[in-house]
Amino acid sequence: MSDFSDDNGQGDLPTSLLPYDKWLEDSYREVMIRALEFAQANGLPGEHHFYIAFQTDDPRVDIPAALRAQYPKEMTIVLQHQFWDLNVDRAAHRLTVGLSFGGVASKLSIPFGAITGFTDPSVGVALGFQPVAPSDIQPVADLTSEAAPENKAAEAATAASDGDARIVRLDAFRKRPTP
C-alpha cells in the first residue's frame, strides 16, 4: 500500500502517520460484507450478481480438493441464480456458500481475508483487496450504524461512466494536501 507521499515537483510530502490505506481497505471490505449480508437476508434483486475472487492457496479456505487442484492459486465464483446456504459470519470473518461445479454440489468456506476481489457487474462495482489475516480486518463502525452518512467513495465506485465493471483503486479516493 502507498504511504501517501508524493513528489509533485514541490518536494516530497510527509508520510502519513495515520493508517489511511488500512482504513480505506477496511471500509471497502465492509461494503462487500454488507452486500453479501443483504443477499443472505433478501436474495439478489433484479440483475445483481456477484463475482468473488479468492486465494485458494490460503490454508483457511475450505473447498473440495478437486477445486483446489483445478485452481491451485486463485478462483472466482459467481453468486447469481444457483447458490444456496449463503452465510456471512462476521465473528468468524468468513463467508460460506453452496455452489454446483460440473453438476456436483459443493460447500465453500472462505475467510474474508482470502478474498481478493468483489464485483457486481450489473452496476459496475468492482473492489480489489490485498489478502489479510482475519485479525487485521476491523469493522467500520460508521458503516454499520443506521445513522451513518453515506459512503461517498462507495457511491463514486458505482458510478461507472461506461457501464463496465472496473477495479476501484484506493488512490482514486485519496485527497492529497495542497502545497
Side-chain angles (χ1 to χ4, degrees):
M1 297 227 168
S2 117
D3 62 3
F4 284 89
S5 62
D6 188 16
D7 184 1
N8 60 4
Q10 305 289 323
D12 288 336
L13 294 175
T15 299
S16 175
L17 299 177
L18 297 174
Y20 288 114
D21 291 339
K22 181 176 178 350
W23 292 342
L24 284 166
E25 180 122 349
D26 288 347
S27 68
Y28 286 128
R29 280 191 194 279
E30 180 67 22
V31 169
M32 173 194 68
I33 292 166
R34 287 183 63 158
L36 290 166
E37 286 175 331
F38 184 92
Q40 174 184 319
N42 306 294
L44 288 168
E47 297 299 315
H48 288 277
H49 57 289
F50 303 148
Y51 290 103
I52 301 169
F54 62 97
Q55 294 184 316
T56 56
D57 59 356
D58 184 313
R60 301 166 297 167
V61 169
D62 185 13
I63 60 174
L67 288 177
R68 193 178 305 273
Q70 188 174 359
Y71 303 97
K73 297 270 185 213
E74 185 175 61
M75 78 179 290
T76 300
I77 58 173
V78 180
L79 303 186
Q80 189 169 13
H81 301 297
Q82 296 182 6
F83 65 92
W84 57 91
D85 296 336
L86 176 61
N87 183 44
V88 179
D89 186 340
R90 282 181 180 268
H93 300 277
R94 183 169 290 277
L95 159 72
T96 56
V97 65
L99 290 168
S100 182
F101 296 91
V104 177
S106 301
K107 182 179 177 183
L108 289 75
S109 182
I110 307 160
F112 298 150
I115 296 174
T116 57
F118 174 84
T119 305
D120 183 345
S122 69
V123 291
V125 171
L127 304 171
F129 307 109
Q130 295 297 315
V132 294
S135 61
D136 292 338
I137 299 173
Q138 299 298 318
V140 182
D142 64 335
L143 285 180
T144 58
S145 166
E146 289 300 319
E150 293 297 317
N151 180 331
K152 298 302 181 195
E155 288 176 11
T158 62
S161 61
D162 58 3
D164 291 337
R166 59 192 164 115
I167 299 296
V168 176
R169 300 288 178 207
L170 299 180
D171 290 311
F173 300 102
R174 293 189 177 115
K175 292 187 179 179
R176 301 208 183 257
T178 55

